[in-house]
Structure formats: structure tokens, C-alpha cells
Amino acid sequence: MQSYPKRPRRAALLGALAALTLLAACQEDETAADATSEEFRADWAAIDAWPPAAEDGIDTQAEPDPERVTTVIVLDDSGSMGSDMEAAKDAVLTAVEQLPDSGRISVLGLNSGMILEPSDVIDARLALPGALINVQPNGNTPLGSTLGEAYLLISREAAQQRGFGTYRIIVTTDGKASDEDILLQNTAHILKNSPVQVSTIGLGIGAGHPLNLPGLTTYAAIDNVAGLADALKAVAAEQTSFQPITDFTEVN
């Protein structure tokens, strides 16, 4: 088996943070949390140790692809989505078309749970339309717990790929989290302990969302569901276009 050098985690996070300026024009100035506080400060030792070891019985890839983009889309399927649900599902399908063929993708619903198991993007384009058919608006907005599930999912994927590549979670939501404390805790844990990029598209939401942390997360505010497809396309396509992490200079 070929031996690979360990990926430079600190440089990876710096690259991810640079990439999170993509939708800067859409960022809100106010936030629900202070992104400079200790709870969001990077723990370099934890980042260097991420991802965790692969679970028993799961083989790691012998030749992981350092260019692979692994994405988890969190789809808001809460009751408040109402008649916008179908347009939101179409927006997810449009976004997946923008992902690189070599990537991996999974989709989680806030209330539906696993909509699409981790899949190669090419396979996902065929399977996702059918997987979305039965997703209907229902329930509240458990962003915190679902973000935690998304992080566990992407961490398992990263373990199989031995941390090589780019990892991001894209959240769509039209409202305030019904578990806001858990959302803040899980957001802080992800940002502090991993190089995972977190992007959120807020539908009809004003300033102050817990996922709106300038410099740490990307937050795009859109007025209606008609803008969701374009926003998702921008995140899906543009976050893959940055230069390799070796082009970013590590700072003390």
C-alpha cells in the first residue's frame, strides 16, 4: 500500500476560511454570537488529529483523491416551508448538477433524516430526484441536532478518505432553530475542531442567525425561494474553484 503524507490541517483550515469569503456581499453585519470568542477559536491539535479513525469494518482508501469535494446538504423541510418545499427540492437538484463529477454528496432533511446516503456525485444525480419525491414540509426546525448529524456523516467520509480533499456542509433554512443552544454548540465544535466549511443560505431571515459568523461561516440571505437555486449553485460551484491549500501561507 502506498504511503501518503499527512495533510497539513492548519493550512487546510486557513484555506477553508479564505474560501468562506465567497458570498461576502450577502453577509449580514450582525451575528447571534461573537465569532472571536474562545469557543470558536481553532484548536490546532484537534484539527491536526481530524478526522477520527475509520470505524471497524470500514476500509480506508488506498489512494485518496486530494481534489475530491465532499458535501453534505442540509435541507429545511420544516412545516414553515409550505408551498416553497417543491422549489427548494428543485434547487438542491440544480446545485448537485454544479458539483464536480469526482465529488461525494449526501442530503439530510431536518425532519426527514437521511434523504440521500453518501454517494458519488454522478450516482447522486440519478438517485436524488426519486429520493426527494416523498420529502414534505413537516415539523419544526432542529438545525442544531441536524448539523451535528451532518458533521458525524462528513467525519466518517473523511476517515475513509484519510482527510484528503475538501469538506463542507451547506445548510438551507427559512427560520430560527428550534434548538438554538445545540446549534451554537455544534457550530462552535465544528469550527474549533475541524477544517469543515460551513455555509448557510437563509430564506427570508434577518440578521442575527447563529450560523452567521463572518470570517468563520458563509451566510447568504435571500428574500424568497426563487433565489435559493442561484445561491445553492454559487456555493456548490464556486467553493470548488479556490487554489490548492498549499497555496495558502500558514500564519502564526
Side-chain angles (χ1 to χ4, degrees):
M1 180 181 297
Q2 185 173 354
S3 175
Y4 287 81
K6 193 169 187 179
R7 177 177 173 175
R9 306 289 180 198
R10 189 170 182 179
L13 183 62
L14 292 171
L17 293 182
L20 289 174
T21 62
L22 279 169
L23 301 178
C26 299
Q27 297 252 176
E28 301 284 357
D29 293 332
E30 300 176 38
T31 65
D34 180 4
T36 64
S37 66
E38 178 64 30
E39 65 180 328
F40 293 100
R41 192 166 299 157
D43 181 339
W44 299 117
I47 292 168
D48 186 61
W50 191 89
E55 298 172 0
D56 291 343
I58 303 297
D59 294 331
T60 58
Q61 294 180 4
E63 297 184 6
D65 180 3
E67 302 300 322
R68 174 171 288 171
V69 178
T70 301
T71 305
V72 177
I73 295 178
V74 174
L75 175 63
D76 190 337
D77 59 0
S78 60
S80 60
M81 287 295 291
S83 59
D84 287 336
M85 192 74 251
E86 292 305 312
K89 291 191 283 187
D90 288 342
V92 171
L93 294 173
T94 300
V96 173
E97 290 295 328
Q98 306 301 313
L99 296 174
D101 290 349
S102 61
R104 295 274 290 172
I105 175 70
S106 52
V107 181
L108 287 174
L110 294 185
N111 296 284
S112 302
M114 185 73 73
I115 296 172
L116 179 72
E117 296 276 356
S119 307
D120 292 339
V121 166
I122 292 176
D123 295 332
R125 290 174 185 149
L126 297 175
L128 191 53
L132 286 168
I133 286 177
N134 293 324
V135 175
Q136 299 298 324
N138 182 54
N140 55 17
T141 313
L143 286 170
S145 59
T146 308
L147 181 65
E149 292 172 16
Y151 178 63
L152 289 176
L153 190 64
I154 210 164
S155 294
R156 293 189 190 106
E157 284 284 294
Q160 290 181 259
Q161 299 170 36
R162 293 195 278 159
F164 285 79
T166 300
Y167 300 88
R168 73 263 184 91
I169 298 172
I170 303 174
V171 181
T172 69
T173 182
D174 76 338
K176 181 179 180 181
S178 54
D179 55 355
E180 190 166 297
D181 289 344
I182 296 174
L183 177 60
L184 284 171
Q185 291 171 13
N186 284 338
T187 302
H189 180 81
I190 293 169
L191 298 176
K192 187 181 182 73
N193 296 286
S194 81
V196 174
Q197 303 172 18
V198 179
S199 298
T200 302
I201 300 171
L203 174 61
I205 302 173
H209 198 279
L211 286 169
N212 182 8
L213 300 170
L216 296 179
T217 67
T218 298
Y219 189 89
I222 57 176
D223 294 331
N224 52 62
V225 73
L228 182 56
D230 286 341
L232 269 172
K233 282 171 62 178
V235 176
E238 294 182 32
Q239 280 194 337
T240 66
S241 65
F242 276 77
Q243 296 299 310
I245 58 173
T246 52
D247 288 355
F248 292 93
T249 303
E250 184 171 326
V251 297
N252 294 322

